[in-house]
């Protein structure tokens, strides 16, 4: 006697596939259509200031882009900016996570206050730092410099890239702290106490117990931050506008200049394709790093 088939099932999982098809199709369209249009425009002569000059350009936009010194300057600035911000946020977040794991009066309020900057919009953060913190005449840092008898610094003229790194690090440090502090909660206190009883000092406990425990969380922080930091724009737009010269022009801001200041859609699209390739290379590397850490 043939056993009756379970209700709602079909051979080969056809029904689950049909249920997933609309969501998968929408996701593919959401990804493929913008990417396809970007690649298409990157192969066209399409400048809004010269509507009569159109047609297929082939790799002409890419050839011009890769021979433009501004591209290599922007890519170098992007990597330098991302690298320093990652160092500051990961190191600072790790140290703050260890600090806030300790018991002290007002710890709950201090945790809320230190995490708050992450929820401030980038444009607002940039405006606060530009007008209230780094202003050469009325800023808090200028007041502190005068208080100690030093000359105030015009941050965005003298140290533009350092200024952007400071602002973005201030925004992302709470995120690193939040992830690492959460990971600290699962640290085995018995293991730490046993190490103390064996004579291990605070530095030994940090380097041989705490840091290995946080390795996976640090990998996740680096992966998520790297993806978002490649697209820093608002802070640069509000404070330095990519200057002086190209000192703070990263890849995202260079694409903005090509698209909305020079009105060269073809060139901007070629820059967008380069940015996509760079982001995917970084993402592949980071995903493999995180997967390796999770397997250990």
């Amino acid at each position: 006697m043939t056993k009756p088939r379970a209700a709602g099932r079909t051979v080969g999982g056809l029904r689950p596939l049909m249920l997933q098809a609309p969501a998968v199709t929408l996701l593919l369209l959401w990804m493929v259509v913008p990417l396809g249009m970007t690649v298409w425009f990157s192969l066209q002569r399409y400048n809004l200031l010269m509507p009569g000059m159109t047609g297929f350009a082939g790799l002409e936009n890419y050839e011009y882009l890769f021979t433009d010194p501004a591209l290599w300057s922007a890519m170098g600035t992007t990597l330098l900016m991302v690298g320093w911000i990652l160092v500051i946020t990961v190191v600072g977040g790790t140290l703050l996570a260890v600090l806030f794991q300790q018991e002290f009066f007002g710890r709950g309020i201090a945790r809320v206050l230190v995490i708050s900057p992450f929820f401030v919009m980038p444009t607002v953060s940039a405006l606060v730092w530009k007008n209230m913190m780094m202003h050469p005449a009325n800023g808090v840092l200028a007041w502190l410099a005068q208080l100690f008898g030093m000359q105030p610094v015009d941050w965005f003229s003298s140290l533009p890239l350092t200024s952007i790194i400071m602002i973005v690090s201030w925004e992302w440090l709470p995120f690193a702290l939040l992830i690492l502090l959460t990971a600290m909660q699962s640290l085995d206190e018995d293991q730490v106490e046993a190490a103390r009883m064996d004579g291990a000092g605070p530095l030994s406990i940090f380097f041989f117990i705490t840091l290995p425990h946080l390795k996976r969380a640090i990998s996740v922080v680096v992966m998520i931050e790297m993806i978002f930091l490649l697209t820093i724009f608002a802070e640069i737009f509000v404070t330095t506008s990519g200057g002086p010269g190209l000192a703070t022009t990263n890849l995202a801001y260079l694409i903005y200049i090509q698209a909305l200041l020079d009105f060269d859609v073809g060139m901007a699209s070629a820059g967008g394709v380069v940015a996509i390739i760079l982001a995917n290379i970084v993402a592949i590397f980071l995903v493999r790093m995180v997967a390796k850490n999770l397997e250990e």
Side-chain angles (χ1 to χ4, degrees):
M1 183 176 180
T2 305
K3 186 177 180 179
R5 185 178 300 169
R9 295 185 180 181
T10 54
V11 178
L14 183 59
R15 185 176 177 184
L17 184 62
M18 292 177 62
L19 293 174
Q20 296 169 6
V24 173
T25 303
L26 181 61
L27 183 61
L28 286 175
L29 290 176
W30 188 269
M31 296 168 55
V32 172
V33 171
L35 177 61
M37 292 183 66
T38 302
V39 174
W40 170 254
F41 282 123
S42 72
L43 302 175
Q44 303 294 314
R45 296 185 185 91
Y46 188 10
N47 192 313
L48 299 178
L49 297 178
M50 295 179 286
M53 186 181 295
T54 58
F56 185 72
L59 299 178
E60 183 179 310
N61 290 324
Y62 292 96
E63 181 181 355
Y64 181 84
L65 184 67
F66 281 106
T67 55
D68 186 2
L71 173 66
W72 304 107
S73 174
M75 291 184 69
T77 301
T78 301
L79 296 177
L80 189 62
M81 195 180 298
V82 170
W84 273 110
I85 294 170
L86 283 176
V87 169
I88 293 171
T89 55
V90 171
V91 173
T94 302
L95 296 178
L96 286 175
V98 174
L99 173 64
F100 281 98
Q101 181 67 5
Q102 311 303 316
E103 291 286 348
F104 59 87
F105 177 74
R107 185 177 67 168
I109 297 175
R111 283 180 174 181
V112 173
L113 292 176
V114 79
I115 292 172
S116 297
F118 183 64
F119 301 102
V120 180
M121 291 181 292
T123 307
V124 177
S125 298
L127 285 171
V128 168
W129 277 87
K130 180 180 180 181
N131 297 317
M132 298 181 64
M133 298 296 295
M134 293 180 168
H135 195 280
N138 303 317
V140 174
L141 297 181
W143 176 78
L144 289 174
Q146 291 175 346
L147 187 66
F148 290 98
M150 295 184 294
Q151 188 69 22
V153 178
D154 190 351
W155 289 90
F156 296 109
S157 296
S158 305
L159 301 167
L161 187 58
T162 302
S163 304
I164 299 296
I165 291 172
M166 288 173 62
I167 294 171
V168 181
S169 298
W170 179 79
E171 294 172 357
W172 281 93
L173 182 59
F175 171 78
L177 170 60
L178 186 62
I179 300 298
L180 297 173
L181 186 58
T182 303
M184 285 285 293
Q185 309 299 316
S186 61
L187 180 61
D188 189 358
E189 292 295 335
D190 293 337
Q191 185 181 6
V192 176
E193 190 62 32
R196 287 200 186 102
M197 293 178 65
D198 289 339
L203 289 179
S204 298
I205 292 174
F206 176 76
F207 284 108
F208 294 104
I209 296 178
T210 304
L211 207 54
H213 177 77
L214 294 177
K215 185 170 64 172
R216 294 181 180 180
I218 290 174
S219 300
V220 173
V221 169
V222 171
M223 182 181 69
I224 296 176
E225 284 195 15
M226 179 77 79
I227 294 171
F228 283 94
L229 293 177
L230 288 172
T231 60
I232 296 172
F233 176 80
E235 296 85 353
I236 298 173
F237 179 79
V238 171
T239 55
T240 63
S241 297
L246 295 173
T248 56
T249 298
N250 64 350
L251 193 53
Y253 199 83
L254 180 66
I255 295 171
Y256 161 76
I257 293 174
Q258 295 286 352
L260 298 178
L261 297 184
D262 295 343
F263 297 100
D264 194 337
V265 178
M267 189 68 63
S269 299
V273 173
V274 172
I276 292 169
I277 294 173
L278 178 63
N280 278 275
I281 292 174
V282 171
I284 291 171
F285 169 75
L286 292 174
V287 167
R288 287 184 176 180
M289 181 182 69
V290 172
K292 183 180 177 180
N293 287 332
L294 292 177
E295 290 174 358
E296 294 177 356

